[in-house]
Amino acid sequence: MAEAAKPRRARKPATAQAAAADVPQTASPADIADPFVRQEAKRALVWIGLIVLVGLAIYQAQALLVIFGGVVFGAMIDGGSRLLGRVVPIGRGWRVTIVLLLTALFLVWLMLFAGSQIAQQAAEFPALVMTQADRVVGWLSTHGFKVDGSSLQGLAERALGGIGQLTSALGGVLGGVTTGFLIVVLGIYFAVEPDLYRRGFAWLIPARERSQFEDMFSTMGQTLRRLLFGRLIGMAVEGVATWILLAVYGVPMSALLGLLTGLLAFLPNIGAPISGLLMVLVGFSGGTEMGLFCIAVYLVVQTVDGYLIVPMVAKKTADLAPALVMGAQLIMGALFGILGLALADPLVAMIKIMLEHRSARNEEATA
């Protein structure tokens, strides 16, 4: 009985983990006990993350623009595939292949049959434009206008340099340009399996937001296809009509002017005045009558495209304000050159759709 009355000794923990478990737990200095402070800390982390993402986006802006260019090119291929599907009941893969083959054949034709003529005219084009610019400066000076000839000459040289880059990109003279190659490859990938990338991007979004994302993505795709289809139709009509009309009258460099007019038609608000100015300068090199004829051709082509073709095909698409598009083109062109200038219009349209969907969701939440 005496042995039973002896108190039992406490057993020592077998391991260090068990010993640590017996120690009373206290709050760490890094823990935030106040719920309000914890909530504000989370908000601060969110803002810091957004600032970091914006910084990365600015640092990688050129790469992001190339990716968006691939999306735009993929939308063109997808639009052509959908249009072909209304005529030929075949699988999507075959339709995409046919569209790519037709595009490649057109570029081959452009290089083989029209490339030599356009290249020869492009070599003579800068000298002709500079001569005409000097004549314009001289005419203005004789009529009492003070014009700085050196500034005008520098402006013309920069414009001709940009146009030279544009024609080289389309004609394939610099076919190994990395940016163009990446845009084409990305566009093909996006066009072949668009659902794969859509599902992958939707997976990054919270489940409760995915239905709204699907609606917004569908609207973006439809708007982008219609916008680009209208642009392509306008480019083809303006380029071919300008080429034919100028060639019939005997205007020099008609093929190059038609090509430049078609290319610059992709840039609304900015491309048309530039192509018209170049056309008029070349026209007046052959006399007053030829110059007036070029002015008439420019007005007719722009009227038909602006008031008949684009509204009929695109059906106002994203309903973009002209001043907004022009401002975006100026900013994007100054930051990223020709690529930014060409992609400003689709980028503004996508941002507009995103903001409209966000606004609609806020109205639904407050209703």
Side-chain angles (χ1 to χ4, degrees):
M1 297 296 293
E3 293 179 359
K6 291 181 180 180
R8 295 182 179 180
R9 295 181 179 179
R11 295 182 179 179
K12 295 182 179 181
T15 61
Q17 290 82 358
D22 292 340
V23 177
Q25 298 296 322
T26 59
S28 170
D31 292 338
I32 302 176
D34 190 348
F36 176 77
V37 177
R38 187 183 297 114
Q39 182 180 5
E40 293 300 319
K42 290 180 180 179
R43 291 180 178 179
L45 289 176
V46 170
W47 280 108
I48 292 173
L50 287 176
I51 294 172
V52 172
L53 289 177
V54 170
L56 290 175
I58 295 174
Y59 181 73
Q60 297 293 333
Q62 189 70 30
L64 293 175
L65 198 63
V66 171
I67 296 174
F68 183 70
V71 173
V72 172
F73 184 71
M76 292 183 182
I77 301 173
D78 184 58
S81 173
R82 291 171 181 265
L83 185 63
L84 186 62
R86 298 181 180 181
V87 181
V88 183
I90 56 178
R92 175 182 173 80
W94 287 106
R95 287 185 275 120
V96 171
T97 303
I98 292 174
V99 172
L100 291 174
L101 287 176
L102 292 176
T103 304
L105 289 175
F106 170 75
L107 293 177
V108 170
W109 172 84
L110 185 64
M111 288 186 291
L112 294 180
F113 294 94
S116 59
Q117 182 183 5
I118 292 175
Q120 181 181 0
Q121 294 180 2
E124 302 171 359
F125 188 69
L128 178 60
V129 172
M130 293 304 302
T131 301
Q132 291 299 102
D134 292 338
R135 291 180 59 184
V136 171
V137 172
W139 183 85
L140 292 174
S141 299
T142 56
H143 287 76
F145 294 94
K146 295 182 179 180
V147 181
D148 187 358
S150 60
S151 300
L152 183 60
Q153 184 177 7
L155 180 62
E157 290 177 353
R158 288 193 293 271
L160 289 172
I163 292 169
Q165 296 175 5
L166 199 61
T167 53
S168 300
L170 184 77
V173 178
L174 300 177
V177 176
T178 305
T179 300
F181 177 76
L182 289 175
I183 289 176
V184 171
V185 172
L186 288 172
I188 293 174
Y189 281 134
F190 291 147
V192 171
E193 292 182 321
D195 292 337
L196 175 64
Y197 301 98
R198 176 182 56 80
R199 291 194 303 266
F201 195 83
W203 180 78
L204 300 175
I205 299 174
R208 64 180 182 276
E209 304 285 342
R210 290 177 186 173
S211 60
Q212 288 83 4
F213 169 77
E214 294 288 346
D215 294 338
M216 184 180 68
F217 186 87
S218 177
T219 304
M220 283 183 171
Q222 182 181 9
T223 302
L224 187 59
R225 287 192 299 269
R226 292 169 58 184
L227 178 65
L228 296 174
F229 184 63
R231 290 284 184 271
L232 291 176
I233 294 296
M235 291 171 64
V237 171
E238 290 191 30
V240 174
T242 302
W243 190 338
I244 293 175
L245 293 175
L246 296 182
V248 168
Y249 194 83
V251 177
M253 305 180 183
S254 58
L256 180 62
L257 289 172
L259 178 62
L260 290 176
T261 301
L263 285 173
L264 292 171
F266 191 82
L267 308 175
N269 306 317
I270 291 180
I274 295 175
S275 63
L277 176 61
L278 297 174
M279 191 188 309
V280 171
L281 287 176
V282 174
F284 276 102
S285 67
T288 304
E289 294 183 359
M290 185 178 291
L292 295 176
F293 176 79
C294 289
I295 294 176
V297 169
Y298 169 75
L299 293 176
V300 170
V301 170
Q302 293 300 323
T303 300
V304 171
D305 179 67
Y307 292 96
L308 295 178
I309 303 234
V310 172
M312 180 181 63
V313 176
K315 295 180 180 178
K316 297 184 179 180
T317 59
D319 190 24
L320 298 176
L324 177 63
V325 175
M326 183 176 294
Q329 288 174 342
L330 293 175
I331 294 173
M332 295 290 290
L335 292 176
F336 306 108
I338 293 294
L339 182 61
L341 189 63
L343 297 178
D345 191 19
L347 183 61
V348 171
M350 298 301 99
I351 294 175
K352 180 176 180 291
I353 293 173
M354 182 179 64
L355 294 177
E356 287 177 347
H357 274 256
R358 187 66 183 178
S359 177
R361 287 195 55 204
N362 292 337
E363 290 180 0
E364 292 177 358
T366 56

